[in-house]
Coordinates of all heavy atoms in Angstrom, one line a residue:
M448 N 129.8 106.0 98.9 CA 129.1 106.3 97.7 C 128.0 107.4 98.2 O 127.1 107.1 99.0 CB 128.3 105.1 97.1 CG 127.5 105.4 96.0 SD 126.7 104.1 95.1 CE 127.0 102.6 96.1
D449 N 128.1 108.6 97.7 CA 127.2 109.6 98.0 C 125.8 109.4 97.5 O 124.8 109.8 98.0 CB 127.7 111.0 97.7 CG 128.9 111.4 98.5 OD1 129.1 110.8 99.6 OD2 129.7 112.3 98.0
H450 N 125.8 109.0 96.2 CA 124.6 108.8 95.4 C 124.5 107.5 94.8 O 125.6 106.9 94.4 CB 124.5 109.9 94.4 CG 124.0 111.2 94.7 ND1 124.9 112.1 95.3 CD2 122.9 111.9 94.6 CE1 124.3 113.2 95.6 NE2 123.1 113.1 95.2
L451 N 123.4 106.9 94.7 CA 123.2 105.7 93.8 C 123.0 106.3 92.5 O 123.0 107.5 92.3 CB 121.9 105.0 94.3 CG 121.9 104.5 95.7 CD1 120.5 104.0 96.0 CD2 123.0 103.4 95.8
N452 N 123.0 105.6 91.4 CA 123.0 106.2 90.2 C 121.7 106.6 89.6 O 121.4 107.7 89.5 CB 123.7 105.1 89.2 CG 125.2 105.1 89.5 OD1 125.8 106.0 89.9 ND2 125.9 104.0 89.1
T453 N 120.9 105.6 89.2 CA 119.6 106.0 88.5 C 118.4 105.4 89.2 O 118.4 104.2 89.4 CB 119.6 105.7 87.0 OG1 120.7 106.3 86.4 CG2 118.3 106.0 86.4
A454 N 117.3 106.2 89.4 CA 116.1 105.6 89.9 C 115.1 105.7 88.6 O 115.1 106.7 87.9 CB 115.5 106.5 90.9
V455 N 114.4 104.6 88.5 CA 113.3 104.5 87.4 C 111.9 104.6 88.2 O 111.7 103.8 89.0 CB 113.5 103.3 86.6 CG1 112.3 103.2 85.6 CG2 114.8 103.3 85.9
I456 N 111.1 105.6 87.8 CA 109.8 105.6 88.4 C 108.8 105.3 87.3 O 108.6 105.9 86.2 CB 109.6 107.2 88.8 CG1 110.6 107.6 89.8 CG2 108.1 107.4 89.3 CD1 110.9 109.0 89.9
L457 N 108.1 104.2 87.6 CA 107.0 103.7 86.7 C 105.8 104.5 87.0 O 105.2 104.3 88.0 CB 106.8 102.2 86.9 CG 108.0 101.3 86.7 CD1 107.6 99.8 87.0 CD2 108.7 101.5 85.4
A458 N 105.4 105.4 86.0 CA 104.4 106.3 86.3 C 103.1 105.9 85.6 O 102.0 106.4 86.0 CB 104.8 107.7 85.7
G459 N 103.0 105.1 84.6 CA 101.9 104.9 83.8 C 101.1 103.6 84.1 O 101.3 103.0 85.1
G460 N 100.4 103.2 83.2 CA 99.6 102.0 83.3 C 98.2 102.2 82.7 O 97.9 103.4 82.4
K461 N 97.4 101.2 82.6 CA 96.2 101.3 82.0 C 95.1 101.8 83.0 O 94.0 102.2 82.6 CB 95.7 100.0 81.4 CG 96.6 99.6 80.3 CD 96.1 98.3 79.6 CE 96.9 98.0 78.4 NZ 96.5 96.8 77.8
S462 N 95.4 101.8 84.3 CA 94.5 102.3 85.3 C 93.2 101.6 85.2 O 92.1 102.1 85.4 CB 94.3 103.8 85.2 OG 95.5 104.5 85.4
T463 N 93.2 100.3 85.0 CA 92.0 99.5 84.8 C 91.2 99.3 86.1 O 89.9 99.1 86.0 CB 92.3 98.0 84.3 OG1 93.2 97.4 85.1 CG2 92.9 98.2 82.8
R464 N 91.8 99.5 87.2 CA 91.1 99.4 88.5 C 90.6 100.8 89.0 O 90.0 100.9 90.1 CB 91.9 98.7 89.6 CG 92.2 97.2 89.2 CD 93.1 96.6 90.2 NE 94.4 97.3 90.0 CZ 95.6 96.7 90.2 NH1 95.6 95.5 90.7 NH2 96.7 97.3 90.0
M465 N 91.0 101.8 88.4 CA 90.7 103.1 88.8 C 90.0 103.9 87.6 O 90.1 103.5 86.5 CB 91.9 104.0 89.1 CG 92.7 103.3 90.3 SD 94.2 104.2 90.8 CE 93.5 105.4 91.9
D466 N 89.3 104.9 88.0 CA 88.6 105.6 86.9 C 89.4 106.8 86.3 O 88.9 107.6 85.5 CB 87.3 106.2 87.4 CG 86.2 105.2 87.7 OD1 86.3 104.0 87.0 OD2 85.4 105.3 88.5
F467 N 90.6 106.9 86.7 CA 91.5 108.0 86.1 C 93.0 107.6 86.1 O 93.3 106.5 86.8 CB 91.3 109.2 87.1 CG 91.8 109.0 88.5 CD1 93.1 109.3 88.9 CD2 90.8 108.5 89.5 CE1 93.5 109.0 90.2 CE2 91.3 108.3 90.8 CZ 92.6 108.6 91.2
D468 N 93.7 108.3 85.5 CA 95.2 107.9 85.3 C 95.9 108.2 86.7 O 96.0 109.4 87.1 CB 95.8 108.8 84.2 CG 97.1 108.4 83.8 OD1 97.9 107.6 84.5 OD2 97.5 108.6 82.6
K469 N 96.5 107.3 87.2 CA 97.1 107.4 88.5 C 98.2 108.4 88.6 O 98.5 109.1 89.5 CB 97.7 106.1 89.0 CG 96.7 104.9 89.3 CD 97.4 103.7 89.7 CE 98.2 103.0 88.6 NZ 97.4 102.3 87.5
Q470 N 98.9 108.6 87.4 CA 100.0 109.6 87.5 C 99.6 111.1 87.6 O 100.4 111.9 87.7 CB 100.9 109.4 86.2 CG 100.3 109.6 84.9 CD 101.1 109.1 83.8 OE1 102.4 109.4 83.7 NE2 100.6 108.4 82.8
T471 N 98.2 111.2 87.4 CA 97.8 112.6 87.6 C 97.4 113.0 89.0 O 97.0 114.1 89.3 CB 96.6 112.8 86.7 OG1 95.5 112.0 87.1 CG2 96.9 112.6 85.2
I472 N 97.5 112.0 90.0 CA 97.3 112.3 91.4 C 98.3 113.4 91.8 O 99.5 113.3 91.5 CB 97.4 111.1 92.2 CG1 96.4 110.0 91.9 CG2 97.5 111.4 93.7 CD1 96.6 108.6 92.6
L473 N 97.8 114.4 92.5 CA 98.7 115.6 92.9 C 99.0 115.4 94.4 O 98.2 115.0 95.2 CB 97.9 116.8 92.8 CG 97.5 117.3 91.3 CD1 96.8 118.6 91.4 CD2 98.8 117.3 90.4
I474 N 100.3 115.5 94.6 CA 100.8 115.6 96.0 C 101.6 116.9 96.1 O 102.5 117.2 95.4 CB 101.8 114.4 96.3 CG1 101.1 113.1 96.0 CG2 102.4 114.5 97.6 CD1 102.1 111.9 96.1
Q475 N 101.1 117.7 97.1 CA 101.7 119.0 97.3 C 101.8 119.8 95.9 O 102.7 120.5 95.7 CB 103.0 118.9 98.0 CG 102.9 118.4 99.4 CD 104.3 118.3 100.1 OE1 105.3 118.8 99.6 NE2 104.2 117.6 101.3
G476 N 100.7 119.7 95.2 CA 100.6 120.5 93.9 C 101.4 119.9 92.8 O 101.4 120.6 91.7
Q477 N 102.0 118.7 93.0 CA 102.8 118.2 91.8 C 102.2 116.8 91.5 O 101.7 116.1 92.3 CB 104.2 117.9 92.2 CG 105.1 119.1 92.3 CD 106.5 118.6 92.6 OE1 106.8 118.1 93.6 NE2 107.4 118.8 91.6
M478 N 102.3 116.4 90.2 CA 101.9 115.1 89.8 C 102.8 114.1 90.6 O 104.0 114.3 90.7 CB 102.1 114.9 88.3 CG 100.9 115.5 87.5 SD 100.8 115.2 85.8 CE 102.1 114.1 85.3
M479 N 102.2 113.0 91.0 CA 102.9 112.0 91.8 C 104.2 111.6 91.3 O 105.2 111.6 92.0 CB 102.0 110.8 92.0 CG 102.6 109.9 93.1 SD 101.6 108.5 93.5 CE 100.5 108.1 92.2
P480 N 104.4 111.3 90.1 CA 105.8 110.9 89.5 C 106.8 112.0 89.7 O 108.0 111.7 90.1 CB 105.6 110.5 88.1 CG 104.2 110.2 87.9 CD 103.4 111.1 88.9
L481 N 106.5 113.2 89.4 CA 107.4 114.4 89.7 C 107.6 114.6 91.2 O 108.8 114.9 91.5 CB 106.8 115.7 89.1 CG 106.6 115.6 87.5 CD1 105.9 116.9 87.1 CD2 108.0 115.5 86.8
F482 N 106.7 114.4 92.0 CA 106.9 114.6 93.5 C 107.9 113.5 93.9 O 108.8 113.8 94.6 CB 105.6 114.4 94.2 CG 105.7 114.5 95.7 CD1 105.8 115.7 96.4 CD2 105.8 113.3 96.4 CE1 105.9 115.8 97.7 CE2 106.0 113.4 97.8 CZ 106.1 114.7 98.4
I483 N 107.7 112.2 93.5 CA 108.5 111.2 93.8 C 110.0 111.5 93.3 O 110.9 111.2 94.1 CB 108.0 109.7 93.4 CG1 106.7 109.4 94.1 CG2 109.0 108.7 93.5 CD1 106.0 108.3 93.5
A484 N 110.1 111.8 92.1 CA 111.4 112.1 91.5 C 112.1 113.2 92.4 O 113.4 113.0 92.6 CB 111.3 112.5 90.1
D485 N 111.5 114.2 92.7 CA 112.1 115.2 93.6 C 112.5 114.7 94.9 O 113.6 115.1 95.4 CB 111.0 116.4 93.7 CG 110.9 117.3 92.5 OD1 111.7 117.2 91.6 OD2 110.0 118.1 92.6
Q486 N 111.7 113.8 95.5 CA 112.0 113.3 96.9 C 113.3 112.4 96.8 O 113.9 112.3 97.8 CB 110.8 112.5 97.4 CG 109.6 113.3 97.7 CD 109.9 114.5 98.6 OE1 110.3 114.2 99.7 NE2 109.6 115.7 98.2
L487 N 113.5 111.8 95.7 CA 114.7 110.9 95.5 C 116.0 111.6 95.1 O 117.0 111.0 95.0 CB 114.4 109.9 94.4 CG 113.2 108.9 94.7 CD1 113.0 108.1 93.5 CD2 113.6 108.1 95.9
E488 N 116.0 113.0 95.0 CA 117.0 113.8 94.7 C 118.3 113.6 95.4 O 119.5 113.4 94.9 CB 116.7 115.3 94.7 CG 117.9 116.1 94.2 CD 117.5 117.6 94.2 OE1 116.4 118.0 94.8 OE2 118.3 118.4 93.6
D489 N 118.2 113.4 96.8 CA 119.4 113.2 97.6 C 119.9 111.8 97.5 O 121.1 111.5 98.0 CB 118.9 113.4 99.1 CG 118.6 114.9 99.4 OD1 119.1 115.7 98.6 OD2 118.0 115.2 100.4
L490 N 119.2 110.9 97.0 CA 119.7 109.5 96.9 C 120.1 109.1 95.5 O 121.0 108.3 95.3 CB 118.6 108.5 97.3 CG 118.1 108.6 98.7 CD1 116.9 107.7 99.0 CD2 119.2 108.2 99.6
F491 N 119.6 109.7 94.5 CA 119.9 109.3 93.1 C 120.3 110.5 92.3 O 119.5 111.5 92.2 CB 118.7 108.6 92.4 CG 118.3 107.3 93.0 CD1 117.4 107.3 94.1 CD2 118.9 106.1 92.6 CE1 117.0 106.1 94.7 CE2 118.4 104.9 93.2 CZ 117.6 104.9 94.3
K492 N 121.4 110.4 91.6 CA 121.8 111.6 90.7 C 121.0 111.7 89.5 O 120.7 112.7 88.9 CB 123.3 111.5 90.4 CG 123.7 110.3 89.5 CD 125.2 110.4 89.3 CE 125.6 109.3 88.4 NZ 127.0 109.2 88.1
N493 N 120.4 110.6 89.0 CA 119.5 110.6 87.8 C 118.2 110.0 88.1 O 118.2 108.9 88.9 CB 120.2 109.8 86.6 CG 121.4 110.4 86.3 OD1 121.6 111.6 85.9 ND2 122.6 109.6 86.2
R494 N 117.1 110.5 87.6 CA 115.8 110.0 87.8 C 115.1 109.9 86.4 O 115.2 110.9 85.7 CB 114.9 110.8 88.8 CG 115.4 110.4 90.2 CD 115.8 111.6 91.1 NE 116.7 112.5 90.5 CZ 116.8 113.8 90.9 NH1 115.9 114.3 91.8 NH2 117.7 114.6 90.3
I495 N 114.5 108.8 86.1 CA 113.8 108.7 84.8 C 112.3 108.3 85.1 O 112.1 107.5 85.9 CB 114.4 107.5 83.9 CG1 115.8 107.9 83.6 CG2 113.6 107.2 82.7 CD1 116.6 106.7 83.0
I496 N 111.4 109.0 84.4 CA 110.1 108.7 84.5 C 109.6 107.9 83.3 O 109.9 108.3 82.2 CB 109.2 109.9 84.7 CG1 109.6 110.6 86.0 CG2 107.7 109.7 84.7 CD1 109.0 112.0 86.2
I497 N 109.0 106.7 83.6 CA 108.4 106.0 82.5 C 107.0 106.2 82.4 O 106.2 105.9 83.3 CB 108.7 104.5 82.7 CG1 110.2 104.1 82.8 CG2 108.2 103.6 81.5 CD1 111.1 104.5 81.7
S498 N 106.6 106.8 81.2 CA 105.1 107.1 81.0 C 104.9 107.1 79.5 O 105.7 107.7 78.7 CB 104.8 108.5 81.6 OG 103.5 108.9 81.2
N499 N 103.7 106.6 79.1 CA 103.2 106.6 77.7 C 102.5 107.9 77.5 O 101.9 108.1 76.4 CB 102.5 105.4 77.4 CG 103.3 104.2 77.3 OD1 104.5 104.2 76.9 ND2 102.9 103.1 77.8
R500 N 102.4 108.8 78.5 CA 101.6 110.0 78.3 C 102.5 111.2 78.5 O 102.3 112.0 79.4 CB 100.5 110.0 79.3 CG 99.6 108.8 79.1 CD 98.1 109.0 79.1 NE 97.6 110.3 78.8 CZ 96.6 110.8 79.6 NH1 96.1 110.3 80.7 NH2 96.2 112.0 79.3
R501 N 103.5 111.4 77.6 CA 104.4 112.5 77.8 C 103.7 113.9 77.8 O 104.2 114.8 78.4 CB 105.4 112.4 76.6 CG 106.4 113.6 76.5 CD 107.3 113.5 77.8 NE 108.3 114.5 77.7 CZ 108.3 115.7 78.4 NH1 107.2 116.1 79.0 NH2 109.3 116.5 78.4
E502 N 102.5 114.0 77.2 CA 101.9 115.2 77.1 C 101.4 115.7 78.4 O 101.0 116.9 78.5 CB 100.6 115.1 76.1 CG 99.5 114.2 76.6 CD 99.6 112.8 76.4 OE1 100.7 112.3 75.9 OE2 98.6 112.0 76.8
L503 N 101.3 114.8 79.4 CA 101.0 115.3 80.8 C 102.0 116.1 81.5 O 101.7 116.7 82.4 CB 100.6 114.1 81.6 CG 99.4 113.3 81.3 CD1 99.3 112.0 82.2 CD2 98.2 114.0 81.4
Y504 N 103.3 116.0 81.0 CA 104.4 116.6 81.7 C 104.9 117.9 81.0 O 104.9 117.9 79.7 CB 105.6 115.6 81.7 CG 105.2 114.4 82.6 CD1 104.5 113.3 81.9 CD2 105.5 114.3 83.9 CE1 104.1 112.2 82.7 CE2 105.2 113.3 84.7 CZ 104.5 112.2 84.1 OH 104.1 111.1 84.8
P505 N 105.1 118.9 81.7 CA 105.6 120.1 81.2 C 106.9 119.9 80.3 O 107.7 119.1 80.7 CB 105.9 121.1 82.3 CG 105.3 120.4 83.5 CD 105.1 119.0 83.2
E506 N 107.0 120.7 79.2 CA 108.2 120.6 78.4 C 109.5 120.8 79.2 O 110.5 120.2 79.0 CB 108.2 121.7 77.3 CG 107.3 121.3 76.2 CD 107.8 120.1 75.4 OE1 109.0 119.9 75.2 OE2 106.9 119.2 75.0
E507 N 109.4 121.7 80.2 CA 110.6 122.0 81.0 C 110.9 121.1 82.2 O 111.8 121.3 82.9 CB 110.5 123.5 81.5 CG 109.5 123.7 82.5 CD 108.1 124.0 81.9 OE1 107.9 124.0 80.6 OE2 107.2 124.2 82.7
V508 N 110.1 120.0 82.3 CA 110.4 119.0 83.3 C 111.9 118.6 83.3 O 112.4 118.3 82.2 CB 109.4 117.8 83.3 CG1 109.7 116.9 82.1 CG2 109.5 117.0 84.6
E509 N 112.5 118.5 84.4 CA 114.0 118.2 84.4 C 114.3 116.8 84.3 O 115.5 116.4 84.2 CB 114.7 118.8 85.7 CG 114.1 118.2 87.0 CD 114.7 118.8 88.2 OE1 115.9 118.6 88.5 OE2 114.0 119.7 88.8
Y510 N 113.3 115.9 84.3 CA 113.6 114.5 84.2 C 113.2 113.9 82.9 O 112.3 114.3 82.2 CB 112.8 113.6 85.2 CG 112.9 114.2 86.6 CD1 111.8 114.9 87.2 CD2 114.1 114.3 87.4 CE1 111.9 115.5 88.5 CE2 114.2 114.9 88.6 CZ 113.1 115.6 89.1 OH 113.2 116.1 90.4
P511 N 114.0 113.0 82.3 CA 113.6 112.3 81.1 C 112.2 111.6 81.3 O 112.1 110.9 82.3 CB 114.6 111.3 80.7 CG 115.8 111.7 81.6 CD 115.3 112.4 82.8
V512 N 111.3 111.8 80.4 CA 110.0 111.0 80.4 C 110.0 110.1 79.2 O 110.0 110.6 78.1 CB 108.8 112.0 80.4 CG1 107.5 111.2 80.4 CG2 108.8 112.9 81.6
I513 N 110.2 108.8 79.4 CA 110.4 107.8 78.4 C 109.2 107.0 78.3 O 108.6 106.5 79.3 CB 111.6 107.0 78.8 CG1 112.9 107.7 79.1 CG2 111.9 105.9 77.7 CD1 113.5 108.5 78.0
P514 N 108.7 106.7 77.1 CA 107.6 105.8 76.9 C 108.1 104.3 76.9 O 109.3 104.0 76.8 CB 107.1 106.1 75.4 CG 108.3 106.6 74.7 CD 109.2 107.3 75.8
D515 N 107.1 103.4 77.1 CA 107.5 102.0 77.1 C 108.0 101.6 75.6 O 107.5 101.9 74.7 CB 106.2 101.1 77.2 CG 105.8 101.1 78.7 OD1 106.6 101.3 79.6 OD2 104.5 100.9 78.9
L516 N 109.2 101.0 75.7 CA 109.8 100.5 74.4 C 109.0 99.4 73.8 O 109.0 99.2 72.6 CB 111.2 100.3 74.7 CG 112.1 101.4 75.1 CD1 113.5 101.0 75.4 CD2 112.1 102.6 74.1
I517 N 108.4 98.6 74.7 CA 107.6 97.4 74.3 C 106.3 97.7 74.9 O 106.2 97.7 76.2 CB 108.2 96.1 74.7 CG1 109.6 96.0 74.1 CG2 107.3 95.0 74.3 CD1 110.3 94.7 74.6
R518 N 105.2 98.0 74.2 CA 103.9 98.4 74.7 C 103.2 97.1 75.2 O 103.5 96.0 74.8 CB 103.1 99.0 73.7 CG 103.8 100.3 73.0 CD 103.6 101.5 73.8 NE 102.4 102.3 73.3 CZ 102.2 103.4 73.8 NH1 102.9 103.9 74.8 NH2 101.1 104.1 73.4
D519 N 102.3 97.4 76.1 CA 101.3 96.4 76.6 C 102.0 95.2 77.3 O 101.5 94.0 77.2 CB 100.4 95.9 75.5 CG 99.6 97.0 74.9 OD1 99.1 97.8 75.6 OD2 99.4 97.0 73.7
R520 N 103.1 95.5 78.0 CA 103.7 94.5 78.8 C 103.7 94.8 80.3 O 104.3 94.1 81.1 CB 105.2 94.3 78.4 CG 105.4 93.8 77.0 CD 104.9 92.3 76.9 NE 105.2 91.9 75.6 CZ 104.4 91.2 74.9 NH1 103.2 90.8 75.4 NH2 104.7 90.8 73.6
G521 N 102.9 95.7 80.7 CA 102.7 96.1 82.1 C 104.1 96.6 82.8 O 104.9 97.1 82.1
P522 N 104.2 96.4 84.0 CA 105.4 96.9 84.7 C 106.7 96.4 84.2 O 107.7 97.0 84.1 CB 105.2 96.4 86.2 CG 103.7 96.2 86.3 CD 103.1 95.8 84.9
K523 N 106.7 95.1 83.6 CA 107.9 94.5 83.0 C 108.4 95.4 81.9 O 109.5 95.6 81.7 CB 107.7 93.1 82.6 CG 107.5 92.1 83.8 CD 107.4 90.7 83.3 CE 106.0 90.5 82.8 NZ 105.6 89.1 82.4
G524 N 107.4 95.8 81.1 CA 107.8 96.7 79.9 C 108.4 98.0 80.4 O 109.3 98.6 79.8
G525 N 107.8 98.6 81.5 CA 108.3 99.8 82.1 C 109.7 99.6 82.6 O 110.6 100.5 82.4
I526 N 109.9 98.5 83.3 CA 111.3 98.2 83.9 C 112.3 98.1 82.7 O 113.4 98.6 82.8 CB 111.2 97.0 84.8 CG1 110.4 97.3 86.1 CG2 112.7 96.6 85.2 CD1 110.1 96.1 86.8
Y527 N 111.9 97.3 81.7 CA 112.7 97.2 80.6 C 113.1 98.5 80.0 O 114.3 98.8 79.6 CB 112.1 96.3 79.5 CG 112.9 96.1 78.2 CD1 114.0 95.3 78.1 CD2 112.5 96.9 77.1 CE1 114.8 95.2 77.0 CE2 113.2 96.9 75.9 CZ 114.4 96.1 75.8 OH 115.0 96.0 74.7
S528 N 112.1 99.4 79.7 CA 112.3 100.7 79.2 C 113.3 101.5 80.1 O 114.2 102.2 79.5 CB 111.0 101.4 79.0 OG 110.2 100.7 78.2
G529 N 113.1 101.5 81.4 CA 114.0 102.2 82.3 C 115.4 101.7 82.3 O 116.4 102.5 82.2
L530 N 115.5 100.4 82.3 CA 116.9 99.8 82.3 C 117.6 100.1 80.9 O 118.8 100.4 80.9 CB 116.8 98.3 82.5 CG 116.4 97.8 83.9 CD1 116.2 96.3 83.9 CD2 117.5 98.3 84.9
T531 N 116.9 100.1 79.9 CA 117.5 100.4 78.5 C 117.8 101.8 78.4 O 118.9 102.2 77.8 CB 116.4 100.0 77.4 OG1 116.1 98.6 77.6 CG2 117.0 100.2 76.1
S532 N 117.0 102.7 79.0 CA 117.3 104.2 78.9 C 118.3 104.7 79.9 O 118.9 105.7 79.6 CB 116.0 104.9 79.2 OG 115.0 104.5 78.2
A533 N 118.6 103.9 81.0 CA 119.6 104.5 81.9 C 121.0 104.3 81.4 O 121.3 103.4 80.6 CB 119.5 103.6 83.2
M534 N 121.7 105.3 81.7 CA 123.1 105.5 81.3 C 124.2 105.0 82.3 O 125.4 105.0 82.1 CB 123.5 106.9 80.8 CG 122.5 107.5 79.8 SD 122.5 106.5 78.3 CE 123.9 107.2 77.5
D535 N 123.6 104.5 83.5 CA 124.4 104.1 84.5 C 124.5 102.6 84.7 O 123.7 101.9 84.2 CB 123.9 104.7 85.8 CG 124.0 106.2 85.9 OD1 125.1 106.7 85.6 OD2 123.0 106.9 86.1
D536 N 125.5 102.1 85.4 CA 125.5 100.7 85.7 C 124.5 100.2 86.7 O 124.2 99.1 86.7 CB 126.9 100.3 86.2 CG 128.0 100.5 85.1 OD1 127.7 100.4 84.0 OD2 129.2 100.8 85.5
Y537 N 124.1 101.1 87.6 CA 123.3 100.7 88.7 C 121.9 101.4 88.6 O 121.9 102.6 88.5 CB 123.9 100.9 90.1 CG 125.1 100.1 90.2 CD1 126.4 100.7 90.1 CD2 125.1 98.8 90.6 CE1 127.6 100.0 90.2 CE2 126.2 98.0 90.6 CZ 127.5 98.6 90.5 OH 128.6 98.0 90.7
V538 N 120.8 100.7 88.5 CA 119.5 101.3 88.3 C 118.6 100.8 89.4 O 118.6 99.6 89.6 CB 119.0 101.0 86.9 CG1 117.6 101.6 86.7 CG2 120.0 101.5 85.8

């Protein structure tokens, strides 16, 4: 198997322990979720970013940015949204 199928990157959250939205952290000039998605390119043919703040991402971003399908459930809600949105058998 050359590639795994889909990686789900949980980007959002309430950031209650930080004073800012974690997904806006820049790594080499990119927001952290986009940087992570790019780094996973050799391993996963599809990458999905789960974020309730689509407005943070450029329109031309190459990865789907999906909001939580069930709000206020923390990481479990993000995982559910990623699994539901993925088109592959393995996520």
Side-chain angles (χ1 to χ4, degrees):
M448 174 175 12
D449 290 341
H450 282 77
L451 299 172
N452 289 332
T453 300
V455 173
I456 300 157
L457 303 181
K461 293 184 178 179
S462 299
T463 54
R464 293 174 295 208
M465 300 179 87
D466 290 335
F467 62 93
D468 192 338
K469 298 179 290 286
Q470 65 190 311
T471 63
I472 293 172
L473 297 180
I474 301 174
Q475 296 180 5
Q477 286 186 296
M478 284 188 357
M479 185 168 36
L481 295 173
F482 178 83
I483 292 169
D485 285 349
Q486 297 302 304
L487 295 173
E488 181 177 14
D489 291 339
L490 296 173
F491 296 90
K492 65 181 179 181
N493 300 307
R494 281 125 314 151
I495 298 172
I496 297 172
I497 305 298
S498 172
N499 290 323
R500 301 224 23 228
R501 177 64 177 98
E502 72 277 4
L503 293 176
Y504 296 85
E506 281 295 318
E507 65 277 359
V508 69
E509 64 183 282
Y510 313 110
V512 179
I513 307 294
D515 285 332
L516 298 175
I517 303 173
R518 305 275 266 183
D519 300 320
R520 295 290 184 228
K523 289 184 282 190
I526 292 168
Y527 173 81
S528 300
L530 292 172
T531 301
S532 300
M534 304 302 275
D535 296 307
D536 292 333
Y537 299 100
V538 180

